[in-house]
Amino acid sequence: MRECATRAALDAALEPRRRAGKRIGFVPTMGALHEGHLTLVRQARANCDLVVASIFVNPTQFGPGEDFNRYPREEEADRRLLESAGCDLLFLPSVEEIYPSGQQTRVEVEPLGSELCGAFRPGHFRGVATVVAILLHQVAPQLLFLGLKDRQQFILLRRMVRDLSMPVEVRGVATVREADGLAMSSRNRYLDARARHQATGLYRALQSASSSWRAGVRDVAFLEAVGREILHDAGIERIDYVAVRDVEHLAPLQGSEEDGLMLIAAHVGQARLIDNMRLSGVAE
C-alpha cells in the first residue's frame, strides 16, 4: 500500500492510473478504523481497479466543546487494517494541506444541513461537505463509498454531488453491527461497561419501531414516543432526537408511505451515538 501526504504526491500517484482509464474507488475516513470502515474498503476493492482511502480528522466539523482533541488517532493500526482490506493508496494530509492559508470557501447543503444532527451540531455538515468536496476534487474517483450508519451525512453528500454535477457515483454501504446490534463506531471506544450496555437501547428502539411499522403502524408521533421510552428504560437520558423520516430525502412523512426511516442521536456515557434503520426491514 502506497502512502501520500500532499496533493502533489497524490496527483503524481494517481495520474498514470487515470490516463490508463482505471476505475478509482474512494473511502474517506477520520481513522480509528473498525469493521464498518473495512467493509467500505472491501466494497471498493470488489468494484474498482484502484482503492484510495484517506485518514483526516477534520477540524471544521467539530464544534466548541466537542471531541476533536481526544478523537482517537491510531494511524499505525489503521495502516495495517487498510492494507489487509485491499487498500492501494492511503492519503494522509495535514490540516494545512486540506485548508491552505487564506482558504475561504465553504460548502453548505441546506436546509438538510441544519436539521436533525445539524440542529444540535451547528456547522457540522458545512465542515463535512467542505472537506469531502475538497477530497473528491483531489482524488477524482469514479465511486465514493459511504457508510449508511450516518444516513444524514450520506444523503447530504449525495445531494451535494448531484447539485454540483460532480462526476462521481455515491454508494451507500449497510451499517455493520456488533453481535448485540450496536452499530460499529469509532466513538464506541469511549463507552465503559455500563454505557456499553446502555447503548444497545438504540438498536432495541429501532427494532421496536420496525416491528410496529411492519405491523401497519404509521403514527409517527407514537413510533417516536415509543423509541424515546425504550431509550429512557435503557438508562439513556440525554436524547438529541428520535425521528421518523422519509428514506430518500429525510423529509417529514406525508402519508402512509411503504417505507420510513427512524433516526436516533443520543448521548451515552462519554459518547454521542447515532443510528438509523429502514422500518420496512428491507435489506440495504
Side-chain angles (χ1 to χ4, degrees):
M1 181 177 70
R2 186 170 177 178
E3 295 183 22
C4 299
T6 67
R7 300 184 189 201
L10 179 70
D11 196 54
L14 291 178
E15 188 54 32
R17 305 297 187 93
R18 297 183 187 121
R19 288 199 305 269
K22 298 298 183 182
R23 187 174 170 88
I24 300 173
F26 179 46
V27 180
T29 84
M30 292 208 302
L33 303 182
H34 51 70
E35 186 60 28
H37 297 107
L38 302 183
T39 298
L40 299 178
V41 175
R42 295 187 191 108
Q43 285 289 316
R45 177 78 282 155
N47 289 276
C48 302
D49 301 309
L50 184 76
V51 179
V52 180
S54 64
I55 296 176
F56 179 67
V57 183
N58 177 34
T60 67
Q61 70 188 67
F62 290 80
E66 293 190 338
D67 60 346
F68 173 73
N69 288 326
R70 68 186 183 98
Y71 192 86
R73 292 162 170 84
E74 302 172 351
E75 284 187 8
E76 287 304 318
D78 290 344
R79 286 184 175 95
R80 293 192 294 270
L81 290 171
L82 286 171
E83 189 164 20
S84 70
C87 180
D88 297 301
L89 193 155
L90 172 59
F91 186 37
L92 285 163
S94 65
V95 172
E96 293 74 23
E97 195 69 29
I98 296 295
Y99 301 114
S101 176
Q103 195 245 31
Q104 298 180 20
T105 302
R106 295 292 182 267
V107 179
E108 294 186 339
V109 183
E110 294 295 344
L112 182 56
S114 295
E115 299 173 357
L116 299 169
C117 280
F120 292 90
R121 304 182 68 189
H124 168 71
F125 286 116
R126 180 175 61 242
V128 170
T130 299
V131 74
V132 173
I134 291 169
L135 289 168
L136 287 175
H137 177 70
Q138 293 171 355
V139 177
Q142 283 77 38
L143 293 173
L144 170 65
F145 294 84
L146 300 171
L148 291 177
K149 179 178 73 72
D150 193 335
R151 181 80 61 151
Q152 185 176 7
Q153 175 176 279
F154 167 75
I155 291 174
L156 181 141
L157 292 175
R158 185 179 64 185
R159 180 80 267 167
M160 177 191 77
V161 164
R162 290 176 180 173
D163 288 352
L164 298 182
S165 299
M166 294 180 172
V168 59
E169 178 185 342
V170 183
R171 290 197 181 178
V173 179
T175 302
V176 178
R177 299 183 180 278
E178 303 284 359
D180 58 7
L182 179 65
M184 289 190 177
S185 169
S186 300
R187 289 184 168 93
N188 288 350
R189 63 198 68 200
Y190 297 160
L191 302 172
D192 59 22
R194 179 173 179 270
R196 176 64 179 76
H197 179 71
Q198 291 175 326
T200 60
L202 276 73
Y203 185 59
R204 292 199 301 275
L206 296 172
Q207 283 187 308
S208 174
S210 178
S211 178
S212 295
W213 185 274
R214 286 182 279 117
V217 177
R218 295 294 185 272
D219 185 330
V220 169
F222 171 79
L223 293 170
E224 292 174 349
V226 171
R228 284 180 170 273
E229 183 178 353
I230 292 172
L231 295 180
H232 284 305
D233 288 346
I236 300 171
E237 299 299 330
R238 188 179 171 192
I239 301 168
D240 283 355
Y241 61 80
V242 176
V244 176
R245 295 291 181 91
D246 158 67
V247 171
E248 285 300 311
H249 308 289
L250 299 188
L253 295 183
Q254 299 299 320
S256 57
E257 284 88 347
E258 292 184 0
D259 205 351
L261 183 80
M262 177 173 275
L263 306 100
I264 296 174
H267 298 258
V268 185
Q270 298 299 309
R272 182 182 188 272
L273 302 180
I274 58 172
D275 204 349
N276 70 86
M277 183 179 289
R278 287 185 73 148
L279 298 180
S280 67
V282 172
E284 298 184 284

